[in-house]
Structure formats: structure tokens, C-alpha cells
Amino acid sequence: MAYLKESLPKMIRYRLARLRLIKPGTPINLTFSITNICQSRCKTCKIWELYKKDPEKRQEELTTDEIEKIFYSMGHVYIFNISGGEPFLRSDIVKIVELACRYLTPGIIHIPTNAIAAELVEQRTHEILKVIQHYDPYIQLTVKPSLDHIGEKHDEIRGVPGNFEKVMPLFKRLKAIQPEYPNLHVELGTVISRWNVEDIYEIARFVTDLGVDSYRNEIAEQRSEMFNREDPITPDPAQYEKAVGYFTRQIRTRMKSRLFFHRMTQAFRLVYYDLAIQTLKQDEQMIPCYAALSNAHMSPYGDIWACCTLGYEKTMGNLRDFDYDFQALWNSQKAGEVRRYIQKGLCHCPLANQAYSNILLHGPSLARVVLEILRT
């Protein structure tokens, strides 16, 4: 609910900025890929190959001093997504969260993990929770171990034998500390790819039986960030529609018993599923995209992107070239060129993180969300 209250005035600004009537202002949603280090060898992503091919590239990642300057220049964002690589492998992840709490003052912090370094993830989650408690105990922290299948099939997709056996204990240990930290949200996430799309019902049933706080899924995409543009990883539209049909039925069956806030979030999810299916089928933007306005993505090296799909191919610039001044880069000529590229509909994707902001900013889609809530 706080997100909606905060979004309403910004919705007006983002709409006007898209019409080029005013400057864009600060995004409400920031994703920061803090490192490209990763132990996984996923079939859906090639980030892990980067430092194998070019070990010196690792030295180019932003330092905490540089990150502090950037966050100071940004100001408040409501949702702060930490990504990777494997985020928990970055030794100063706790310090990065501390800087985010100090300068970005987020309401939500979200961190995914492959769970391979399970003990390290648990330890650093404890440390992060203590930092959050110091700054604002109402900040919601979500930690999301990835689960792309069950048992050895998960290990096969993720490319690491024994990975599945790390996910389950980590999930249980994180759930066990929730009474001490009520602002901790523990969920599981599945990337729906051509290697598991036919088994989504089996995976989802397994997850539901675990009693997760929530279960997220996203479709495997060819993204510049993941160096997988040429890889046939995305399931075809018919397969994906069949897979998410299970989630749609589950949501509609349970909506009546949910509190209003949960009905609202599930209604957004229903609209997103339909939007993602239509995007795959039509191969075009189905509603206006507000990437580079409502949302921003920062690479480990200080590049600012509209989204991880365009990534390196359509960078808006590097913050090191702007003396770490986010607002200067955000309002630069090159940033404007990227926005115009998006506004012309020259790109399209079912990226969930961006799609939820787009739905919020699109009247007909938002009306569908309201109708989904009312129909319960």
C-alpha cells in the first residue's frame, strides 16, 4: 500500500516525462547488479563466463566509495533490487545495503541467491537484517533462493551438482529466523525456460507444500546483461501460456480468502501473466514501457541502463564519466536517446520487474487490476 501511495504523484511525473514535457525525476525502482561473480553455470545465463574469459574485468567493479557517491547523488528510491552474478559473493554486500539504507531510504530490498554458498548467505542475511534494524525496521527484506526444478533436474539446469541440496536447508534456516525479524520475507523463484516449462505444475506443487511466503516465476529471456542473446532459452508462447495457466487458476481460487493487499498484488500478477503471453505472441510492446523513467538498472561497473534486457547494447552512460552524479547522467542526451528508442516501440520484452510499473502507469491495464480484485 505504501508503494501505491508513493507511486501516485510519480505516475503523473513519469507520464509527463514520457511526453518530454518535464525532466524524468528519480526512478522509484532501482536494480543494482553488484557483481558478475557467480558459481552457477546456468543454461539460461552466461554471466559466469565473463571473468573466466577476462579475469581482469573483475577489478573494474565499483568500489564502496564510488557506490556511496552514486547513492548520495540519487536520493530516495522505493524498491531496491540487488542482483548479480551471485550477490552474496560480494564481500561488501552488507556495506552496500548500509549505504542504500542511508541514502536511498528504500521501503523494500530484494536479493536473489543461487544458495550454493548457503552458510555465507545465511550469515550475511543476519548482518543485513541488523543494518536494516538500525536504520528502519519497517524496511522489508526479501531473500529469494532460486529453484528451477526438483532434485537433480535443478542441478542440471543450474550446472552445479548438489545445488538443490543447498537450497532446501537455506530456505528452512531463513524461515526459522523470521520470528526474530518479522520484516524478513522468504520466497522461492523459478525461471521458466524450455528446460522446465513442461514441469511447472510439479515444481509449483512442491513449492506450495513448503509453505513459502510467496513464489515468483519469470520467463527466461535473451538479455544483454546475461550474454545470452543468441541462446534459444525462451519457451514458445503456447508452452508458457499453458504453464502460467496453472498459476492463474491457483490465484483465482485463493483470492477470496486473501486480505485486500494480497488480492491486489495477485491481481497485478494476473494482468502481468496475460501481458507477458501477448508480448510473446505479438512480438511487440503491448502497452507503453516506462523503462528509463520509473525503473533503472546499474551494472557492476557503473553503467546505467533502462533495463537488463537492453543492458550493454543500449547503455545510457557510465557514472564514472559523470563524476558519479546519477542525475547528470539520467538527464543526459544519451539517456534521452534511449528513452526515445523505447518509446518508438523498437524493443519489447516480458520483463516482470518493469512490467508491473508499466501496468501501474497504463489506465486500461490498471482498470483490469481493479476488475480482478472486484470479481472476487
Side-chain angles (χ1 to χ4, degrees), residues 10 30 67 78 88 98 158 181 208 222 270 306:
K10 291 196 174 186
L30 172 67
I67 293 167
Y78 186 73
F88 286 96
E98 192 272 329
R158 288 272 158 173
Y181 298 103
T208 301
Q222 294 168 316
L270 288 172

Side-chain angles (χ1 to χ4, degrees), residues 47-103:
I47 283 179
W48 60 272
E49 290 186 348
L50 182 62
Y51 294 154
K52 184 178 179 181
K53 293 178 179 178
D54 184 5
E56 298 301 316
K57 183 72 175 175
R58 180 173 175 177
Q59 306 306 315
E60 297 179 20
E61 293 188 352
L62 293 167
T63 66
T64 48
D65 287 342
E66 291 177 305
I67 293 167
E68 181 169 13
K69 293 175 185 177
I70 294 165
F71 286 179
Y72 176 79
S73 75
M74 285 192 69
H76 172 64
V77 299
Y78 186 73
I79 299 175
F80 180 48
N81 300 300
I82 298 177
S83 186
E86 167 52 40
F88 286 96
L89 288 184
R90 176 142 180 170
S91 61
D92 57 357
I93 184 175
V94 179
K95 179 63 176 178
I96 292 172
V97 171
E98 192 272 329
L99 293 173
C101 291
R102 189 190 309 176
Y103 297 111

Side-chain angles (χ1 to χ4, degrees), residues 20 23-24 292-293 304 314-318 321-322 325-344:
R20 302 177 209 167
K23 291 183 177 181
L293 290 168
I304 293 296
K314 285 289 178 182
T315 181
M316 300 168 76
N318 188 285
D321 298 328
F322 288 81
D325 187 338
F326 177 85
Q327 299 300 337
L329 186 156
W330 196 239
N331 290 285
S332 68
Q333 180 180 342
K334 193 171 183 181
E337 292 171 359
V338 173
R339 291 189 184 101
R340 287 190 287 276
Y341 177 87
I342 296 167
Q343 289 161 15
K344 289 178 182 178

Side-chain angles (χ1 to χ4, degrees), residues 32-268:
F32 179 16
S33 297
I34 62 174
T35 184
N36 276 332
I37 303 168
C38 193
Q39 328 95 306
S40 294
R41 300 292 183 265
C42 297
K43 290 183 175 182
T44 56
C45 174
K46 289 182 177 176
I47 283 179
W48 60 272
E49 290 186 348
L50 182 62
Y51 294 154
K52 184 178 179 181
K53 293 178 179 178
D54 184 5
E56 298 301 316
K57 183 72 175 175
R58 180 173 175 177
Q59 306 306 315
E60 297 179 20
E61 293 188 352
L62 293 167
T63 66
T64 48
D65 287 342
E66 291 177 305
I67 293 167
E68 181 169 13
K69 293 175 185 177
I70 294 165
F71 286 179
Y72 176 79
S73 75
M74 285 192 69
H76 172 64
V77 299
Y78 186 73
I79 299 175
F80 180 48
N81 300 300
I82 298 177
S83 186
E86 167 52 40
F88 286 96
L89 288 184
R90 176 142 180 170
S91 61
D92 57 357
I93 184 175
V94 179
K95 179 63 176 178
I96 292 172
V97 171
E98 192 272 329
L99 293 173
C101 291
R102 189 190 309 176
Y103 297 111
L104 304 181
T105 61
I108 296 171
I109 299 174
H110 177 263
I111 315 175
T113 177
N114 59 27
I116 294 173
E119 292 182 3
L120 183 66
V121 173
E122 183 182 8
Q123 173 196 328
R124 290 184 172 163
T125 297
H126 272 281
E127 294 171 7
I128 288 169
L129 285 163
K130 289 176 182 176
V131 167
I132 291 174
Q133 198 168 46
H134 172 74
Y135 278 90
D136 181 357
Y138 291 101
I139 295 173
Q140 299 297 304
L141 173 66
T142 297
V143 179
K144 182 187 74 176
S146 297
L147 185 74
D148 286 350
H149 217 300
I150 304 167
E152 292 181 359
K153 291 182 179 179
H154 172 82
D155 298 348
E156 182 182 346
I157 294 171
R158 288 272 158 173
V160 178
N163 191 171
F164 179 79
E165 296 303 324
K166 299 288 186 69
V167 176
M168 291 299 99
L170 175 63
F171 170 76
K172 292 174 182 177
R173 290 200 296 268
L174 291 176
K175 289 289 289 182
I177 65 174
Q178 281 184 310
E180 183 181 356
Y181 298 103
N183 61 324
L184 174 63
H185 190 80
V186 186
E187 62 182 24
L188 292 172
T190 298
V191 176
I192 301 177
S193 68
R194 67 186 183 91
W195 292 282
N196 63 8
V197 66
E198 299 293 347
D199 303 322
I200 289 301
Y201 173 77
E202 176 189 357
I203 300 166
R205 186 172 56 183
F206 174 82
V207 170
T208 301
D209 290 343
L210 293 173
V212 294
D213 295 335
S214 62
Y215 176 49
R216 294 195 198 194
N217 62 77
E218 60 178 308
I219 189 167
E221 297 179 75
Q222 294 168 316
R223 300 177 182 175
S224 172
E225 180 194 26
M226 294 181 174
F227 308 104
N228 63 2
R229 281 297 205 184
E230 306 302 319
D231 299 341
I233 61 175
T234 307
D236 67 50
Q239 287 179 308
Y240 180 69
E241 185 172 18
K242 179 181 177 182
V244 300
Y246 169 78
F247 297 116
T248 298
R249 292 190 296 274
Q250 288 286 90
I251 289 170
R252 290 207 167 107
T253 299
R254 298 173 181 176
M255 285 241 318
K256 289 182 180 179
S257 61
R258 299 290 183 100
L259 297 173
F260 175 78
F261 174 77
H262 294 293
R263 292 206 308 274
M264 181 177 63
T265 57
Q266 297 289 23
F268 267 91

